Amino acid sequence: MGLELYLDLHSQPCRAVYIFAKKNNIAFEFKLINLLAGEQFNEEFVKVNPLRLVPTIKDGDFALGESVAILKYLASKYQTPDHWYPADLQKRARVDEYLSWQQTTIRSRASRIFMFRGLLPALTGQPIPKDRMDEALEDLQKSLQTFEEKFLQDKPYIVGQEVSLADLVALVELMQPLGTGLDPLEGRPKLVAWRERVKGAVGKELFDEAHEVIMKVKDSISTLDTKTPTMQQLAKNLQKAFR
């Protein structure tokens, strides 16, 4: 059996894995797991990943979840160009440093904006209160300030002169709010320039292809049947996760 990728491109980590595999000519079979339809709870998928999360890969009899672990696994197994996950110990540590930091900062805060502006109002029928929205926007901007000053600084990319897994993971996360019509990098020319460099390094056509669904997410959300048990349970779960 060949490599199978279980993905939903509405998900930021799924897009990172998809882009990385396509960019590096890694052959795979795309297995769509429609999160909004609750397919992550299907018995067949639960056998592959009992955590019920995407992205997940299956490489023969070996199954692996968690996007950062998957990206590192693919980089090592397929011996992708060194700049993605450098052999140099200190450069690799810089990639790992960003990937660890972003989980509770850029990732969680950009996701919160997406949920507040997009999915939660559609599922609950209620807008997010202005004070909570303002707080979420402020938190994301604080993380972006740290990202710019500590991680990017005056370098073209997070780890210097070439794109790495850190840049790819960072950018897919920051595209999530853009799907709701809010550009989190507005007023930050250094980060806007970085975004364009990363897109160019990945390949604009591939990048746009991977983000097509999230840039049309309002259309997807508008067709949801919010009265189904699956959608009502999803709303409860998201309200707990994104307070």
Side-chain angles (χ1 to χ4, degrees):
M1 290 187 293
L3 179 68
E4 299 174 341
L5 302 188
Y6 294 79
L7 309 170
D8 182 336
L9 295 183
H10 286 97
S11 156
Q12 312 91 297
C14 287
R15 296 196 299 271
V17 170
Y18 177 83
I19 289 170
F20 183 71
K22 295 275 281 189
K23 175 64 178 177
N24 288 285
N25 298 311
I26 298 171
F28 64 89
E29 181 180 355
F30 188 109
K31 298 277 193 176
L32 175 63
I33 301 296
N34 188 328
L35 298 176
L36 289 179
E39 291 181 0
Q40 66 271 36
F41 299 105
N42 288 354
E43 183 177 347
E44 183 179 348
F45 178 66
V46 173
K47 290 178 182 177
V48 178
N49 186 349
L51 298 176
R52 304 176 179 87
L53 298 172
V54 290
T56 294
I57 68 170
K58 191 173 181 185
D59 190 8
D61 293 330
F62 177 70
L64 182 67
E66 297 298 331
S67 59
V68 170
I70 290 169
L71 289 166
K72 293 178 182 180
Y73 175 82
L74 295 178
S76 298
K77 173 168 182 176
Y78 294 95
Q79 299 181 328
T80 56
D82 184 72
H83 62 84
W84 286 110
Y85 195 49
D88 179 273
L89 182 60
Q90 292 186 356
K91 289 182 178 179
R92 177 169 289 200
R94 288 298 182 206
V95 174
D96 288 336
E97 180 185 34
Y98 177 79
L99 294 177
S100 297
W101 174 80
Q102 64 91 31
Q103 294 280 5
T104 57
T105 52
I106 297 292
R107 170 160 176 69
S108 65
R109 292 172 179 181
S111 295
R112 194 174 182 218
I113 298 297
F114 173 78
M115 292 299 174
F116 279 10
R117 287 177 55 89
L119 199 51
L120 274 173
L123 291 174
T124 64
Q126 299 292 328
I128 300 298
K130 185 178 183 301
D131 61 334
R132 291 180 66 199
M133 180 66 75
D134 289 345
E135 179 187 32
L137 291 167
E138 182 180 357
D139 285 345
L140 179 57
Q141 286 304 315
K142 287 179 180 177
S143 292
L144 287 174
Q145 190 69 24
T146 302
F147 173 57
E148 184 173 333
E149 293 178 351
K150 193 273 188 252
F151 290 96
L152 188 61
Q153 300 177 9
D154 293 320
K155 306 185 300 292
Y157 301 99
I158 293 173
V159 189
Q161 300 303 310
E162 293 186 274
V163 71
S164 71
L165 291 179
D167 299 284
L168 176 58
V169 169
L171 187 50
V172 296
E173 294 293 346
L174 291 170
M175 291 298 293
Q176 205 73 357
L178 202 56
T180 68
L182 183 138
D183 185 354
L185 304 189
E186 184 178 355
R188 294 184 176 273
K190 184 184 291 187
L191 293 187
V192 170
W194 162 81
R195 177 170 63 193
E196 294 310 306
R197 282 193 295 273
V198 177
K199 286 184 181 181
V202 166
K204 190 174 185 303
E205 184 176 349
L206 171 58
F207 191 86
D208 289 345
E209 174 205 335
H211 286 83
E212 184 176 1
V213 292
I214 199 63
M215 297 310 292
K216 297 179 179 178
V217 72
K218 289 184 177 180
D219 294 336
S220 302
I221 290 174
S222 68
T223 64
L224 292 176
D225 183 355
T226 59
K227 302 301 183 184
T228 67
T230 298
M231 290 297 101
Q232 291 178 355
Q233 185 60 52
L234 177 61
K236 290 179 181 179
N237 293 343
L238 292 176
Q239 285 176 309
K240 290 179 181 179
F242 296 94
R243 296 182 183 276

